């Protein structure tokens, strides 16, 4: 299990099709069809008791074994998108998932039409000390929806747990001119220096980004 | 010496243990779900435990360069508590997880009708999910318990080569091996087996389909017992290849039947100050 919490880019269906063997491609076709079917047939009631699992969710768990562990994130994210997974299903998959399954939910959030409703999942991941989850939680969805206080604490969490801040989406944009973040980073640095410990290079990097400056060109401007 | 501990409850152990195990040669382990010492009162308590075996514990192990897999089940003791038995209905969604390499620990504790039901149901779940089963043999009334266990396995859809009978000793080893199941021995500081008795068993019965584990947990136990057996085997004249077979190849072959073993774990990075388990993330 790679411990460096790097998140490789998710592959599209076309890219997956090009990389997967015949059996894996056939499995993916069936899995996506089941997910699509689930999306168009909203379950009025879960048949089979409280612990019954829709078949596409079982496929979600098994994706790595059929398509290769290196493709598990991409396949799981595709299943969520194809199933137009709504908050209840996402929450179930997250809460009952392995760390890898939880990570895939986090990585897919910004590709689903959720607004800020899935923030509790991001906040849950940021409460863990599992660097794989912390790294996945600070992606585009958090950049778009996490409010300032929790976002600043997410940055500190990365610095504390050794998640490279390169994993943080929109780091420069959200840090710019954030005086409160600058204060928190300064206090953290002072605490490290007082303890005779080194200041992480990433801390200095973010601190530099908090300097007020001209807004970066955006699509609006 | 490369070591695979096929039965150890790391949830109850410290990071010092992980470090000592790595230094002793442990590179892979299987953590069976079991009784926590304090009885559970609801299925939700099991689910949090299963989640830990699928999330936090593999993360901790990986930081010490050790591949972590687990076996999940309703344990024999709590199979007798009707507040816990609904766990059986929820197991199918857990048994599809990547790092689940067997159903277990299942088996008998007091040989009650409720234990009969749970054992048979979970052997069937193993067969349905293409998984082997880790079957614990009871501490009390052991030989009779072993015979009843073997009978239930014979009646199940799970072939004996997909079953590991664990906690064996001198009185149960012969019948266990005659059943065609794999034979597991838990080496404890003062109960079950010790290193010298294990050497005697290996001399009499050979190394084929024999696994040795520490079964270390929250009780008096020693996570380095696997290494101590390896050293005792070498001192008693067994070859390096014999040791490798018992401490690595046999557990890999048994749990490998699941098709889910991932042993290509990265070498540990030096633990740095920001390490999230060094002080629980501070
Ligand atoms: Zn045990």
């Amino acid at each position: 299990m790679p411990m460096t919490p790097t998140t490789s880019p998710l592959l599209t269906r076309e890219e997956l099709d090009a990389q997967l063997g015949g059996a894996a491609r056939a499995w993916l076709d069936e899995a996506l069809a089941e997910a699509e079917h689930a999306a168009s047939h909203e379950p009025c009631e879960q048949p089979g008791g409280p612990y019954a699992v829709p078949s596409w969710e079982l496929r979600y768990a098994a994706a790595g074994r059929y398509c290769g562990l290196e493709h598990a994130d991409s396949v799981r994210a595709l299943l969520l998108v194809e199933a137009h997974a709504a908050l209840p299903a996402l929450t179930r998959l997250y809460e009952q998932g392995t760390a890898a399954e939880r990570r895939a939910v986090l990585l897919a959030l910004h590709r689903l039409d959720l607004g800020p409703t899935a923030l509790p999942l991001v906040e849950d991941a940021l409460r863990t000390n599992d660097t794989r989850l912390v790294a996945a939680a600070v992606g585009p969805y958090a950049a778009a929806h996490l409010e300032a206080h929790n976002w600043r604490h997410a940055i500190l969490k990365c610095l504390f747990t050794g998640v490279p801040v390169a994993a943080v989406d929109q780091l420069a944009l959200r840090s710019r001119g954030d005086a409160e973040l600058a204060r928190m980073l300064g206090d953290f640095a002072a605490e490290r220096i007082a303890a005779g410990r080194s200041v992480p290079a990433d801390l200095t990097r973010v601190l530099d980004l908090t300097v007020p400056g001209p807004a970066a060109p955006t699509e609006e401007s | 010496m490369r070591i695979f501990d096929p039965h150890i409850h790391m949830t109850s152990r410290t990071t010092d243990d992980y470090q000592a195990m790595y230094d002793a040669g442990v590179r892979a382990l299987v953590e069976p779900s079991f009784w926590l010492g304090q009885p559970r009162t609801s299925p939700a308590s099991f689910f949090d435990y299963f989640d830990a075996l699928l999330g936090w514990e593999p993360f901790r192990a990986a930081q010490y360069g050790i591949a972590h897999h687990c076996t999940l089940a309703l344990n024999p003791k709590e199979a007798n508590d009707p507040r816990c038995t609904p766990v059986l209905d929820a197991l199918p969604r857990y048994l599809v997880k990547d790092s689940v390499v067997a159903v277990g620990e299942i088996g008998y504790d007091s040989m009650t009708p409720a234990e009969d039901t749970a054992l048979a149901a979970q052997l069937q779940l193993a067969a349905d999910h293409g998984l082997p089963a880790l079957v614990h043999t009871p501490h009390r009334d052991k030989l009779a318990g072993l015979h009843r266990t073997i009978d239930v396995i014979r009646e199940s859809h799970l072939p004996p080569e997909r079953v590991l009978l664990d906690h064996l000793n001198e009185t149960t080893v012969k019948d266990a091996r005659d059943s065609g199941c794999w034979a597991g021995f838990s080496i404890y500081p003062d109960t079950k087996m010790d290193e010298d008795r294990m050497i005697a068993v290996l001399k009499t019965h050979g190394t084929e389909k024999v696994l040795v584990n520490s079964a270390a947990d929250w009780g008096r136990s020693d996570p380095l017992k696997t290494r101590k057996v390896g050293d005792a085997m070498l001192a008693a004249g067994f070859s390096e290849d014999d040791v490798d077979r018992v401490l690595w190849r046999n557990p890999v072959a048994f749990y490998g039947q699941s098709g889910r073993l991932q042993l290509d774990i990265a070498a540990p990075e030096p633990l740095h100050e920001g390490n999230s388990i060094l002080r629980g993330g501070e």
Side-chain angles (χ1 to χ4, degrees):
Chain A
M1 204 172 304
M3 267 304 95
T4 324
T6 47
T7 303
S8 36
L10 298 176
L11 301 180
T12 63
R13 173 142 192 210
E14 291 67 34
E15 288 165 334
L16 277 170
D17 277 344
Q19 292 192 26
L20 295 177
R25 226 168 30 237
W27 183 92
L28 180 59
D29 284 344
E30 287 169 27
L32 290 170
E34 280 176 15
E36 229 167 327
H37 181 85
S40 49
H41 296 75
E42 270 306 303
C44 23
E45 208 171 273
Q46 190 98 294
Y51 301 122
V53 189
S55 66
W56 77 271
E57 294 186 21
L58 292 175
R59 301 241 191 202
Y60 180 86
R65 301 202 293 280
Y66 290 89
C67 300
L69 288 179
E70 70 278 22
H71 295 132
D73 283 345
S74 298
V75 171
R76 287 177 177 141
L78 262 185
L79 284 172
L80 296 176
V81 172
E82 288 295 312
H84 304 292
L87 193 60
L90 287 171
T91 303
R92 193 166 57 239
L93 286 168
Y94 179 89
E95 287 180 347
Q96 300 176 345
T98 62
E101 292 166 35
R102 292 177 187 216
R103 182 183 59 212
V105 170
L106 297 167
L107 294 177
L109 290 178
H110 66 287
R111 298 167 61 190
L112 296 160
D113 189 17
L114 296 161
T117 58
L119 274 176
L121 304 184
V122 171
E123 289 161 1
D124 179 273
L126 289 172
R127 279 193 296 273
T128 73
N129 283 346
D130 187 329
T131 49
R132 297 165 298 181
L133 295 179
V134 173
V138 291
Y141 187 83
H145 298 292
L146 201 60
E147 54 83 27
H149 178 82
N150 284 341
W151 189 81
R152 292 180 191 123
H153 272 274
I155 303 302
L156 281 189
K157 183 90 184 218
C158 289
L159 296 173
F160 269 91
T161 56
V163 171
V165 292
V168 180
D169 192 65
Q170 304 293 337
L171 177 67
L173 192 68
R174 285 203 64 165
S175 304
R176 188 175 303 115
D178 189 337
E180 176 63 1
L181 178 62
R183 181 200 62 76
M184 291 163 80
L185 294 170
D187 285 357
F188 179 29
E191 195 183 325
R192 299 279 298 207
I193 290 162
R197 301 168 73 186
S198 63
V199 174
D202 263 4
L203 188 154
T204 317
R205 196 179 145 202
V206 184
L207 194 56
D208 289 346
L209 292 172
T210 59
V211 173
T218 62
E219 281 164 4
E220 290 88 50
S221 60
Chain B
M1 193 183 293
R2 56 177 181 171
I3 299 171
F4 186 132
D5 192 333
H7 183 154
I8 182 165
H9 302 284
M10 292 312 297
T11 304
S12 307
R13 313 299 309 193
T14 65
T15 51
D16 282 358
D17 288 333
Y18 271 124
Q19 186 64 58
M21 288 164 67
Y22 183 86
D23 292 343
V26 176
R27 294 294 179 272
L29 60 83
V30 166
E31 175 157 9
S33 63
F34 200 58
W35 187 55
L36 286 179
Q38 176 69 34
R40 300 179 179 89
T41 58
S42 77
S45 174
F46 280 85
F47 303 155
D48 288 340
Y49 176 62
F50 293 164
D51 289 344
L53 296 185
L54 297 165
W56 181 238
E57 207 53 50
F59 177 76
R60 289 209 315 151
Q63 301 215 10
Y64 291 88
I66 297 176
H68 183 289
H69 296 82
C70 67
T71 77
L72 299 181
L74 172 62
N75 64 74
K77 229 183 251 280
E78 289 174 309
N80 292 297
D81 187 335
R83 294 174 300 177
C84 298
T85 47
V87 169
L88 290 173
D89 300 324
L91 274 173
R93 92 167 293 141
Y94 282 99
L95 296 181
V96 298
K97 306 297 188 189
D98 281 334
S99 60
V100 177
V101 292
V103 172
E105 298 177 56
I106 53 176
Y108 284 115
D109 182 54
S110 304
M111 290 191 272
T112 63
E115 292 172 24
D116 283 327
T117 304
L119 175 56
Q122 295 185 97
L123 288 171
Q124 185 62 47
L125 280 174
D128 292 345
H129 287 83
L131 290 172
L134 171 60
V135 181
H136 140 130
T137 54
H139 302 300
R140 305 175 302 278
D141 202 8
K142 204 177 209 28
L143 187 58
L146 176 81
H147 291 152
R148 187 147 152 194
T149 303
I150 291 172
D151 287 344
V152 176
I153 293 166
R154 283 213 186 94
E155 287 163 20
S156 78
H157 289 106
L158 204 61
E161 62 272 16
R162 294 178 78 84
V163 175
L164 168 56
L165 292 170
D166 211 345
H167 309 324
L168 297 175
N169 61 22
E170 292 87 349
T171 64
T172 50
V173 55
K174 181 169 186 312
D175 290 352
R177 289 176 70 71
D178 288 347
S179 73
C181 297
W182 295 68
F185 296 86
S186 302
I187 314 300
Y188 263 75
D190 48 17
T191 56
K192 295 179 185 162
M193 294 292 289
D194 65 27
E195 294 93 308
D196 294 337
R197 288 163 56 201
M198 189 65 228
I199 298 302
V201 165
L202 286 165
K203 281 184 174 160
T204 308
H205 297 277
T207 58
E208 196 190 338
K209 290 171 91 171
V210 171
L211 285 74
V212 168
N213 62 73
S214 71
D217 57 13
W218 34 257
R220 185 162 143 72
S221 49
D222 177 358
L224 304 183
K225 280 295 186 192
T226 47
R227 171 67 197 232
K228 287 168 186 166
V229 168
D231 290 340
M233 284 179 73
L234 293 175
F238 285 94
S239 68
E240 303 250 354
D241 189 66
D242 292 330
V243 172
D244 190 65
R245 182 178 201 183
V246 171
L247 293 183
W248 186 267
R249 299 200 306 273
N250 282 350
V252 168
F254 176 73
Y255 287 117
Q257 295 180 93
S258 68
R260 301 187 197 174
L261 274 186
Q262 291 292 325
L263 298 173
D264 51 346
I265 184 129
E269 294 161 21
L271 296 175
H272 55 82
E273 289 180 291
N275 185 286
S276 69
I277 57 175
L278 204 61
R279 288 283 302 144
E282 301 185 69

